[in-house]
Amino acid sequence: MIIETTRLLLREMTQEDYPALAGILQDREAMFAYEHAFSDEETQAWLNRMLERYRTDGFGLWAVVLKTTGEMIGQCGLTWQDVAGQRVLEIGYLFARKHWKNGYALEAAGACKAYAFERLDAEEVFSIVRDNNIASMNVAIRNGMTVRCRFVKRYYGMDMPHYAFSARREE
Ligand SMILES: CC(C)(COP(=O)(O)OP(=O)(O)OC[C@H]1O[C@@H](n2cnc3c(N)ncnc32)[C@H](O)[C@@H]1OP(=O)(O)O)[C@@H](O)C(=O)NCCC(=O)NCCS
């Protein structure tokens, strides 16, 4: 277990989490900002990348588990990302649709922010959000972040404008 909050546990994913992960990554609505629901191959590649990140970086997107049921309801965690040529630490979050709007993303993202500052000694932590993803922007804002820049990310054969939100330790 990496992080515990009032209602949630964050822990590393394992192969056994594949069905719960697929429930999120293969849901067209949850994946609208990514322009497509993932195939089985893309879902497995995503999981493999996270397992690799745990090994090489010591962190990644973790499984978010509801304490009351033990169910994996989402993913939230920290990854290295590129913002217009700069390597930044990012808090990412993706939750199963039936669990949206219960404050879970904010609860997990807030704990990841504290983890970045306190355990990783980060000076700044970002959330990178596509310009049409209102829900995600609101999580970043409610997590104490400010928009710093707009940049275009090439993904899935498309140019997608994104906003980089961040929180700084000094602030
Ligand atoms: C973005 C996402 C993680 C939000 O999860 P959530 O658990 O529903 O968010 P929370 O309940 O913690 O809400 C946090 C804040 O965002 C706001 N919010 C959540 N969903 C929203 C929506 N659809 N529209 C507008 N605001 C929204 C909430 O109102 C809340 O603010 P408030 O406390 O001031 O009311 C979820 O919608 C999701 O998994 N989306 C698909 C994956 C994705 O796009 N991830 C982000 C990639 S950058």
Side-chain angles (χ1 to χ4, degrees):
M1 205 252 297
I2 312 280
I3 295 175
E4 179 172 5
T5 67
T6 312
R7 295 176 295 171
L8 308 170
L9 298 176
L10 276 65
R11 58 154 175 81
E12 290 186 355
M13 286 190 274
T14 68
Q15 188 60 41
E16 288 173 13
D17 297 313
Y18 181 92
L21 185 65
I24 302 168
L25 298 179
Q26 301 190 347
D27 173 6
R28 275 182 69 98
E29 204 173 311
M31 295 301 284
F32 82 94
Y34 297 77
E35 289 292 339
H36 70 301
F38 278 20
S39 65
D40 290 345
E41 291 69 30
E42 287 172 302
T43 304
Q44 186 60 52
W46 175 286
L47 179 56
N48 292 346
R49 199 158 69 244
M50 290 313 152
L51 302 180
E52 180 64 28
R53 283 181 151 135
Y54 301 151
R55 277 196 299 272
T56 57
D57 300 334
F59 49 80
L61 289 183
W62 295 304
V64 179
V65 174
L66 205 52
K67 278 191 199 174
T68 50
T69 62
E71 183 191 357
M72 175 178 158
I73 61 165
Q75 309 169 71
C76 185
L78 295 155
T79 58
W80 291 113
Q81 297 290 337
D82 181 87
V83 172
Q86 192 198 345
R87 192 177 87 136
V88 304
L89 193 60
E90 195 216 8
I91 301 172
Y93 28 76
L94 297 101
F95 281 73
R97 201 166 2 126
K98 71 172 177 185
H99 295 288
W100 288 1
K101 298 252 191 154
N102 289 303
Y104 293 139
L106 187 59
E107 188 169 323
C112 287
K113 187 173 92 169
Y115 188 95
F117 288 147
E118 290 160 21
R119 303 281 297 276
L120 302 180
D121 222 18
E123 289 300 323
E124 185 168 17
V125 64
F126 286 73
S127 279
I128 300 161
V129 185
R130 197 174 165 197
D131 67 348
N132 61 358
N133 197 342
I134 306 285
S136 180
M137 287 190 220
N138 277 332
V139 175
I141 292 164
R142 291 279 278 111
N143 197 23
M145 292 189 172
T146 303
V147 66
R148 307 290 177 184
C149 71
R150 181 180 182 278
F151 68 103
V152 175
K153 203 159 137 176
R154 185 100 190 138
Y155 179 77
Y156 207 58
M158 273 173 254
D159 286 332
M160 301 182 180
H162 279 70
Y163 291 109
F165 289 78
S166 86
R168 292 175 181 152
R169 176 202 286 278
E170 75 216 22
E171 291 167 2

